[in-house]
PDB file of all heavy atoms in Angstrom:
ATOM      1  N   HIS A   1      -0.893 -27.659 -12.788  1.00 95.00           N
ATOM      2  CA  HIS A   1      -1.024 -29.075 -13.133  1.00 95.00           C
ATOM      3  C   HIS A   1      -0.041 -29.903 -12.325  1.00 95.00           C
ATOM      4  O   HIS A   1      -0.377 -30.988 -11.819  1.00 95.00           O
ATOM      5  CB  HIS A   1      -0.790 -29.264 -14.629  1.00 95.00           C
ATOM      6  CG  HIS A   1      -1.023 -30.678 -15.072  1.00 95.00           C
ATOM      7  ND1 HIS A   1      -0.006 -31.602 -15.214  1.00 95.00           N
ATOM      8  CD2 HIS A   1      -2.180 -31.330 -15.393  1.00 95.00           C
ATOM      9  CE1 HIS A   1      -0.508 -32.761 -15.602  1.00 95.00           C
ATOM     10  NE2 HIS A   1      -1.815 -32.630 -15.720  1.00 95.00           N
ATOM     11  N   GLU A   2       1.163 -29.378 -12.166  1.00 96.00           N
ATOM     12  CA  GLU A   2       2.182 -30.092 -11.386  1.00 96.00           C
ATOM     13  C   GLU A   2       1.729 -30.296  -9.943  1.00 96.00           C
ATOM     14  O   GLU A   2       1.975 -31.348  -9.336  1.00 96.00           O
ATOM     15  CB  GLU A   2       3.488 -29.293 -11.418  1.00 96.00           C
ATOM     16  CG  GLU A   2       4.629 -29.924 -10.651  1.00 96.00           C
ATOM     17  CD  GLU A   2       5.875 -29.045 -10.662  1.00 96.00           C
ATOM     18  OE1 GLU A   2       5.926 -28.067 -11.434  1.00 96.00           O
ATOM     19  OE2 GLU A   2       6.805 -29.354  -9.871  1.00 96.00           O
ATOM     20  N   PHE A   3       1.047 -29.293  -9.389  1.00 96.00           N
ATOM     21  CA  PHE A   3       0.640 -29.332  -7.976  1.00 96.00           C
ATOM     22  C   PHE A   3      -0.845 -29.647  -7.805  1.00 96.00           C
ATOM     23  O   PHE A   3      -1.398 -29.427  -6.727  1.00 96.00           O
ATOM     24  CB  PHE A   3       0.932 -27.987  -7.315  1.00 96.00           C
ATOM     25  CG  PHE A   3       2.404 -27.661  -7.189  1.00 96.00           C
ATOM     26  CD1 PHE A   3       2.822 -26.344  -7.090  1.00 96.00           C
ATOM     27  CD2 PHE A   3       3.358 -28.652  -7.163  1.00 96.00           C
ATOM     28  CE1 PHE A   3       4.163 -26.023  -6.964  1.00 96.00           C
ATOM     29  CE2 PHE A   3       4.708 -28.352  -7.043  1.00 96.00           C
ATOM     30  CZ  PHE A   3       5.116 -27.038  -6.947  1.00 96.00           C
ATOM     31  N   ARG A   4      -1.494 -30.205  -8.813  1.00 95.00           N
ATOM     32  CA  ARG A   4      -2.955 -30.297  -8.806  1.00 95.00           C
ATOM     33  C   ARG A   4      -3.512 -31.133  -7.664  1.00 95.00           C
ATOM     34  O   ARG A   4      -4.655 -30.935  -7.242  1.00 95.00           O
ATOM     35  CB  ARG A   4      -3.456 -30.839 -10.149  1.00 95.00           C
ATOM     36  CG  ARG A   4      -3.046 -32.270 -10.474  1.00 95.00           C
ATOM     37  CD  ARG A   4      -3.381 -32.602 -11.933  1.00 95.00           C
ATOM     38  NE  ARG A   4      -3.053 -33.991 -12.278  1.00 95.00           N
ATOM     39  CZ  ARG A   4      -1.829 -34.407 -12.578  1.00 95.00           C
ATOM     40  NH1 ARG A   4      -0.806 -33.556 -12.565  1.00 95.00           N
ATOM     41  NH2 ARG A   4      -1.616 -35.676 -12.893  1.00 95.00           N
ATOM     42  N   ARG A   5      -2.713 -32.062  -7.128  1.00 96.00           N
ATOM     43  CA  ARG A   5      -3.205 -32.934  -6.045  1.00 96.00           C
ATOM     44  C   ARG A   5      -2.730 -32.462  -4.664  1.00 96.00           C
ATOM     45  O   ARG A   5      -3.004 -33.126  -3.671  1.00 96.00           O
ATOM     46  CB  ARG A   5      -2.773 -34.381  -6.296  1.00 96.00           C
ATOM     47  CG  ARG A   5      -3.431 -34.985  -7.534  1.00 96.00           C
ATOM     48  CD  ARG A   5      -3.155 -36.474  -7.651  1.00 96.00           C
ATOM     49  NE  ARG A   5      -3.849 -37.053  -8.791  1.00 96.00           N
ATOM     50  CZ  ARG A   5      -3.359 -37.128 -10.021  1.00 96.00           C
ATOM     51  NH1 ARG A   5      -2.131 -36.656 -10.263  1.00 96.00           N
ATOM     52  NH2 ARG A   5      -4.055 -37.656 -10.992  1.00 96.00           N
ATOM     53  N   ARG A   6      -2.061 -31.319  -4.625  1.00 96.00           N
ATOM     54  CA  ARG A   6      -1.576 -30.797  -3.344  1.00 96.00           C
ATOM     55  C   ARG A   6      -2.561 -29.779  -2.777  1.00 96.00           C
ATOM     56  O   ARG A   6      -3.294 -29.122  -3.523  1.00 96.00           O
ATOM     57  CB  ARG A   6      -0.214 -30.135  -3.514  1.00 96.00           C
ATOM     58  CG  ARG A   6       0.872 -31.072  -4.002  1.00 96.00           C
ATOM     59  CD  ARG A   6       2.221 -30.386  -3.969  1.00 96.00           C
ATOM     60  NE  ARG A   6       3.257 -31.195  -4.590  1.00 96.00           N
ATOM     61  CZ  ARG A   6       4.537 -30.848  -4.656  1.00 96.00           C
ATOM     62  NH1 ARG A   6       4.931 -29.684  -4.140  1.00 96.00           N
ATOM     63  NH2 ARG A   6       5.417 -31.632  -5.240  1.00 96.00           N
ATOM     64  N   PRO A   7      -2.576 -29.619  -1.442  1.00 97.00           N
ATOM     65  CA  PRO A   7      -3.425 -28.577  -0.859  1.00 97.00           C
ATOM     66  C   PRO A   7      -3.000 -27.204  -1.375  1.00 97.00           C
ATOM     67  O   PRO A   7      -1.805 -26.898  -1.470  1.00 97.00           O
ATOM     68  CB  PRO A   7      -3.171 -28.701   0.645  1.00 97.00           C
ATOM     69  CG  PRO A   7      -2.638 -30.086   0.837  1.00 97.00           C
ATOM     70  CD  PRO A   7      -1.881 -30.413  -0.405  1.00 97.00           C
ATOM     71  N   ALA A   8      -3.962 -26.381  -1.698  1.00 95.00           N
ATOM     72  CA  ALA A   8      -3.653 -25.061  -2.262  1.00 95.00           C
ATOM     73  C   ALA A   8      -2.873 -24.192  -1.278  1.00 95.00           C
ATOM     74  O   ALA A   8      -2.138 -23.299  -1.694  1.00 95.00           O
ATOM     75  CB  ALA A   8      -4.942 -24.357  -2.674  1.00 95.00           C
ATOM     76  N   GLY A   9      -3.015 -24.480   0.015  1.00 94.00           N
ATOM     77  CA  GLY A   9      -2.333 -23.682   1.020  1.00 94.00           C
ATOM     78  C   GLY A   9      -0.826 -23.800   0.997  1.00 94.00           C
ATOM     79  O   GLY A   9      -0.134 -22.947   1.557  1.00 94.00           O
ATOM     80  N   VAL A  10      -0.290 -24.844   0.335  1.00 94.00           N
ATOM     81  CA  VAL A  10       1.172 -24.991   0.293  1.00 94.00           C
ATOM     82  C   VAL A  10       1.772 -24.207  -0.867  1.00 94.00           C
ATOM     83  O   VAL A  10       2.992 -24.091  -0.965  1.00 94.00           O
ATOM     84  CB  VAL A  10       1.594 -26.476   0.184  1.00 94.00           C
ATOM     85  CG1 VAL A  10       0.953 -27.296   1.288  1.00 94.00           C
ATOM     86  CG2 VAL A  10       1.268 -27.066  -1.184  1.00 94.00           C
ATOM     87  N   LEU A  11       0.962 -23.652  -1.744  1.00 93.00           N
ATOM     88  CA  LEU A  11       1.476 -22.884  -2.871  1.00 93.00           C
ATOM     89  C   LEU A  11       2.062 -21.563  -2.400  1.00 93.00           C
ATOM     90  O   LEU A  11       1.655 -21.012  -1.367  1.00 93.00           O
ATOM     91  CB  LEU A  11       0.357 -22.598  -3.878  1.00 93.00           C
ATOM     92  CG  LEU A  11      -0.366 -23.788  -4.515  1.00 93.00           C
ATOM     93  CD1 LEU A  11      -1.411 -23.290  -5.491  1.00 93.00           C
ATOM     94  CD2 LEU A  11       0.612 -24.719  -5.202  1.00 93.00           C
ATOM     95  N   SER A  12       2.992 -21.042  -3.173  1.00 90.00           N
ATOM     96  CA  SER A  12       3.514 -19.703  -2.890  1.00 90.00           C
ATOM     97  C   SER A  12       2.437 -18.657  -3.194  1.00 90.00           C
ATOM     98  O   SER A  12       1.409 -18.966  -3.812  1.00 90.00           O
ATOM     99  CB  SER A  12       4.740 -19.427  -3.761  1.00 90.00           C
ATOM    100  OG  SER A  12       4.351 -19.285  -5.126  1.00 90.00           O
ATOM    101  N   GLY A  13       2.684 -17.428  -2.782  1.00 88.00           N
ATOM    102  CA  GLY A  13       1.725 -16.361  -3.036  1.00 88.00           C
ATOM    103  C   GLY A  13       1.450 -16.184  -4.519  1.00 88.00           C
ATOM    104  O   GLY A  13       0.295 -15.997  -4.937  1.00 88.00           O
ATOM    105  N   GLY A  14       2.496 -16.231  -5.328  1.00 89.00           N
ATOM    106  CA  GLY A  14       2.317 -16.090  -6.762  1.00 89.00           C
ATOM    107  C   GLY A  14       1.529 -17.239  -7.366  1.00 89.00           C
ATOM    108  O   GLY A  14       0.689 -17.045  -8.251  1.00 89.00           O
ATOM    109  N   GLN A  15       1.803 -18.458  -6.881  1.00 92.00           N
ATOM    110  CA  GLN A  15       1.072 -19.617  -7.379  1.00 92.00           C
ATOM    111  C   GLN A  15      -0.390 -19.565  -6.951  1.00 92.00           C
ATOM    112  O   GLN A  15      -1.283 -19.948  -7.719  1.00 92.00           O
ATOM    113  CB  GLN A  15       1.744 -20.895  -6.881  1.00 92.00           C
ATOM    114  CG  GLN A  15       3.107 -21.138  -7.506  1.00 92.00           C
ATOM    115  CD  GLN A  15       3.940 -22.156  -6.747  1.00 92.00           C
ATOM    116  OE1 GLN A  15       3.614 -22.545  -5.615  1.00 92.00           O
ATOM    117  NE2 GLN A  15       5.041 -22.589  -7.342  1.00 92.00           N
ATOM    118  N   GLN A  16      -0.652 -19.076  -5.742  1.00 93.00           N
ATOM    119  CA  GLN A  16      -2.037 -18.921  -5.309  1.00 93.00           C
ATOM    120  C   GLN A  16      -2.773 -17.894  -6.158  1.00 93.00           C
ATOM    121  O   GLN A  16      -3.965 -18.050  -6.453  1.00 93.00           O
ATOM    122  CB  GLN A  16      -2.085 -18.526  -3.831  1.00 93.00           C
ATOM    123  CG  GLN A  16      -1.692 -19.648  -2.892  1.00 93.00           C
ATOM    124  CD  GLN A  16      -1.825 -19.261  -1.431  1.00 93.00           C
ATOM    125  OE1 GLN A  16      -2.374 -18.221  -1.088  1.00 93.00           O
ATOM    126  NE2 GLN A  16      -1.311 -20.107  -0.543  1.00 93.00           N
ATOM    127  N   GLN A  17      -2.067 -16.842  -6.576  1.00 92.00           N
ATOM    128  CA  GLN A  17      -2.700 -15.865  -7.454  1.00 92.00           C
ATOM    129  C   GLN A  17      -3.021 -16.490  -8.803  1.00 92.00           C
ATOM    130  O   GLN A  17      -4.087 -16.243  -9.379  1.00 92.00           O
ATOM    131  CB  GLN A  17      -1.803 -14.645  -7.654  1.00 92.00           C
ATOM    132  CG  GLN A  17      -2.453 -13.522  -8.461  1.00 92.00           C
ATOM    133  CD  GLN A  17      -3.680 -12.968  -7.784  1.00 92.00           C
ATOM    134  OE1 GLN A  17      -3.602 -12.241  -6.793  1.00 92.00           O
ATOM    135  NE2 GLN A  17      -4.847 -13.310  -8.300  1.00 92.00           N
ATOM    136  N   GLN A  18      -2.106 -17.312  -9.318  1.00 93.00           N
ATOM    137  CA  GLN A  18      -2.387 -18.024 -10.557  1.00 93.00           C
ATOM    138  C   GLN A  18      -3.610 -18.919 -10.398  1.00 93.00           C
ATOM    139  O   GLN A  18      -4.459 -19.005 -11.300  1.00 93.00           O
ATOM    140  CB  GLN A  18      -1.169 -18.850 -10.962  1.00 93.00           C
ATOM    141  CG  GLN A  18       0.023 -18.016 -11.395  1.00 93.00           C
ATOM    142  CD  GLN A  18       1.239 -18.862 -11.739  1.00 93.00           C
ATOM    143  OE1 GLN A  18       1.221 -20.088 -11.590  1.00 93.00           O
ATOM    144  NE2 GLN A  18       2.294 -18.215 -12.186  1.00 93.00           N
ATOM    145  N   LEU A  19      -3.724 -19.579  -9.251  1.00 94.00           N
ATOM    146  CA  LEU A  19      -4.874 -20.444  -8.991  1.00 94.00           C
ATOM    147  C   LEU A  19      -6.166 -19.636  -8.950  1.00 94.00           C
ATOM    148  O   LEU A  19      -7.199 -20.061  -9.492  1.00 94.00           O
ATOM    149  CB  LEU A  19      -4.672 -21.204  -7.681  1.00 94.00           C
ATOM    150  CG  LEU A  19      -5.837 -22.082  -7.207  1.00 94.00           C
ATOM    151  CD1 LEU A  19      -6.197 -23.118  -8.260  1.00 94.00           C
ATOM    152  CD2 LEU A  19      -5.483 -22.753  -5.877  1.00 94.00           C
ATOM    153  N   ALA A  20      -6.131 -18.471  -8.316  1.00 94.00           N
ATOM    154  CA  ALA A  20      -7.333 -17.634  -8.240  1.00 94.00           C
ATOM    155  C   ALA A  20      -7.787 -17.199  -9.630  1.00 94.00           C
ATOM    156  O   ALA A  20      -8.986 -17.195  -9.936  1.00 94.00           O
ATOM    157  CB  ALA A  20      -7.063 -16.417  -7.358  1.00 94.00           C
ATOM    158  N   ILE A  21      -6.829 -16.837 -10.482  1.00 94.00           N
ATOM    159  CA  ILE A  21      -7.172 -16.438 -11.847  1.00 94.00           C
ATOM    160  C   ILE A  21      -7.707 -17.642 -12.617  1.00 94.00           C
ATOM    161  O   ILE A  21      -8.732 -17.558 -13.316  1.00 94.00           O
ATOM    162  CB  ILE A  21      -5.951 -15.838 -12.557  1.00 94.00           C
ATOM    163  CG1 ILE A  21      -5.531 -14.523 -11.877  1.00 94.00           C
ATOM    164  CG2 ILE A  21      -6.242 -15.594 -14.035  1.00 94.00           C
ATOM    165  CD1 ILE A  21      -4.206 -13.962 -12.378  1.00 94.00           C
ATOM    166  N   ALA A  22      -7.029 -18.778 -12.497  1.00 94.00           N
ATOM    167  CA  ALA A  22      -7.455 -19.977 -13.210  1.00 94.00           C
ATOM    168  C   ALA A  22      -8.835 -20.425 -12.763  1.00 94.00           C
ATOM    169  O   ALA A  22      -9.648 -20.878 -13.582  1.00 94.00           O
ATOM    170  CB  ALA A  22      -6.437 -21.098 -12.988  1.00 94.00           C
ATOM    171  N   ARG A  23      -9.130 -20.318 -11.477  1.00 93.00           N
ATOM    172  CA  ARG A  23     -10.450 -20.732 -10.965  1.00 93.00           C
ATOM    173  C   ARG A  23     -11.556 -19.901 -11.609  1.00 93.00           C
ATOM    174  O   ARG A  23     -12.636 -20.416 -11.918  1.00 93.00           O
ATOM    175  CB  ARG A  23     -10.487 -20.581  -9.439  1.00 93.00           C
ATOM    176  CG  ARG A  23     -11.787 -21.091  -8.807  1.00 93.00           C
ATOM    177  CD  ARG A  23     -11.735 -20.991  -7.303  1.00 93.00           C
ATOM    178  NE  ARG A  23     -11.516 -19.626  -6.871  1.00 93.00           N
ATOM    179  CZ  ARG A  23     -11.241 -19.271  -5.609  1.00 93.00           C
ATOM    180  NH1 ARG A  23     -11.135 -20.200  -4.669  1.00 93.00           N
ATOM    181  NH2 ARG A  23     -11.070 -18.008  -5.289  1.00 93.00           N
ATOM    182  N   ALA A  24     -11.304 -18.601 -11.803  1.00 92.00           N
ATOM    183  CA  ALA A  24     -12.291 -17.765 -12.486  1.00 92.00           C
ATOM    184  C   ALA A  24     -12.413 -18.149 -13.954  1.00 92.00           C
ATOM    185  O   ALA A  24     -13.510 -18.135 -14.529  1.00 92.00           O
ATOM    186  CB  ALA A  24     -11.921 -16.292 -12.345  1.00 92.00           C
ATOM    187  N   LEU A  25     -11.298 -18.497 -14.581  1.00 92.00           N
ATOM    188  CA  LEU A  25     -11.308 -18.779 -16.018  1.00 92.00           C
ATOM    189  C   LEU A  25     -11.991 -20.099 -16.368  1.00 92.00           C
ATOM    190  O   LEU A  25     -12.554 -20.228 -17.457  1.00 92.00           O
ATOM    191  CB  LEU A  25      -9.879 -18.801 -16.553  1.00 92.00           C
ATOM    192  CG  LEU A  25      -9.183 -17.445 -16.692  1.00 92.00           C
ATOM    193  CD1 LEU A  25      -7.734 -17.651 -17.103  1.00 92.00           C
ATOM    194  CD2 LEU A  25      -9.903 -16.582 -17.715  1.00 92.00           C
ATOM    195  N   VAL A  26     -11.950 -21.093 -15.474  1.00 91.00           N
ATOM    196  CA  VAL A  26     -12.523 -22.385 -15.836  1.00 91.00           C
ATOM    197  C   VAL A  26     -14.029 -22.294 -16.046  1.00 91.00           C
ATOM    198  O   VAL A  26     -14.622 -23.139 -16.736  1.00 91.00           O
ATOM    199  CB  VAL A  26     -12.207 -23.483 -14.790  1.00 91.00           C
ATOM    200  CG1 VAL A  26     -10.721 -23.769 -14.735  1.00 91.00           C
ATOM    201  CG2 VAL A  26     -12.749 -23.131 -13.416  1.00 91.00           C
ATOM    202  N   ALA A  27     -14.660 -21.274 -15.494  1.00 89.00           N
ATOM    203  CA  ALA A  27     -16.089 -21.072 -15.730  1.00 89.00           C
ATOM    204  C   ALA A  27     -16.362 -20.479 -17.104  1.00 89.00           C
ATOM    205  O   ALA A  27     -17.517 -20.300 -17.472  1.00 89.00           O
ATOM    206  CB  ALA A  27     -16.670 -20.162 -14.650  1.00 89.00           C
TER     207      ALA A  27
END
């Protein structure tokens, strides 16, 4: 939520993994 308007590529590896999990969960 804090980084929601930032490009996903600037996230750390761990944050990108959180994003990948969250993207699956929103469905």
Side-chain angles (χ1 to χ4, degrees):
H1 185 264
E2 180 183 348
F3 293 156
R4 65 190 182 280
R5 294 188 177 89
R6 299 187 187 182
V10 306
L11 301 181
S12 70
Q15 291 163 348
Q16 289 183 10
Q17 185 62 74
Q18 291 178 356
L19 176 58
I21 295 171
R23 184 177 59 190
L25 286 174
V26 295

